[in-house]
Amino acid sequence: MSTSTRDPALRRGASAEETRRRIEDMAETLFRSIGYQKTTVADIARELGMSPANIYRFYPSKSAINEVIAARMLDGVESELWTVARGRGTAAERLRTLLRTLHHRHMALFFTQRRLHDMVTAAMAEHWGVVERFIEGIRTAIRHVLMDGMASGEFARLDADATATAIKMATIGFMHPVLIAECGLRQEPEEEMARKLEQVIDLLLRGIQAKVDS
């Protein structure tokens, strides 16, 4: 990139909200192209025709910018999960689709957006606040589907909180970017991981579905 990308809107007294959005947009662009670790506040400022001091008026540190970009990515995934959780279909279908979606989104991050994958991996390893909220969002979406399934009689009566946590932990090897990279793809191809996820989901559903008297 070069200073030819400077945004004249930043020199025309744009609102604070608009300036933040432009800073975030540029940060995300740089994160995607050169990686979040190599991107500096000075890089972001230069591309926008601003001074680093102006960036710090809106974000107290580079870490704060990192968290905002991570939140952008993870909030999009969480929104998609909630669309599934609150959507149509049986509770079993929605739970399966929710877990598949989470796996597919992390796989896509690994294969097509490796530099952003590295940021999410670091965020999880370092327990960024945005990741903690995302993980709780996943658990809550699973709990929502379980509650629907119990209300309809599709699932057995169970502790929805504990079961949601158990389901999250049972499938973590298919969802956590570090485990996908280190334990999954090093040992088996993507198609085999997807097949094994389906087997785990089948097992989980058999364990929670209501028993029908014969």
Side-chain angles (χ1 to χ4, degrees), residues 15-116:
S15 69
E17 182 179 353
E18 179 69 6
T19 301
R20 286 192 186 92
R21 185 185 65 78
R22 293 177 186 279
I23 291 170
E24 292 165 14
D25 287 347
M26 182 55 68
E28 183 172 347
T29 296
L30 290 170
F31 285 8
R32 290 178 185 275
S33 61
I34 65 175
Y36 88 100
Q37 289 179 316
K38 292 183 178 179
T39 299
T40 66
V41 171
D43 292 330
I44 299 168
R46 182 180 61 253
E47 295 297 331
L48 291 171
M50 301 173 67
S51 69
N54 280 335
I55 300 290
Y56 286 122
R57 286 177 55 206
F58 298 94
Y59 298 97
S61 65
K62 168 68 186 320
S63 295
I65 297 174
N66 294 345
E67 287 240 6
V68 168
I69 304 307
R72 276 188 168 197
M73 298 170 54
L74 297 178
D75 287 351
V77 176
E78 185 177 348
S79 177
E80 189 172 359
L81 297 181
W82 275 104
T83 297
V84 172
R86 294 177 173 135
R88 297 181 178 181
T90 67
E93 290 168 346
R94 281 180 283 147
L95 182 58
R96 185 183 296 276
T97 301
L98 189 155
L99 296 173
R100 281 177 179 167
T101 299
L102 192 55
H103 173 65
H104 291 160
R105 292 298 165 268
H106 282 303
M107 292 295 285
L109 192 63
F110 182 87
F111 282 110
T112 65
Q113 303 180 58
R114 189 56 188 268
R115 288 188 172 91
L116 291 181

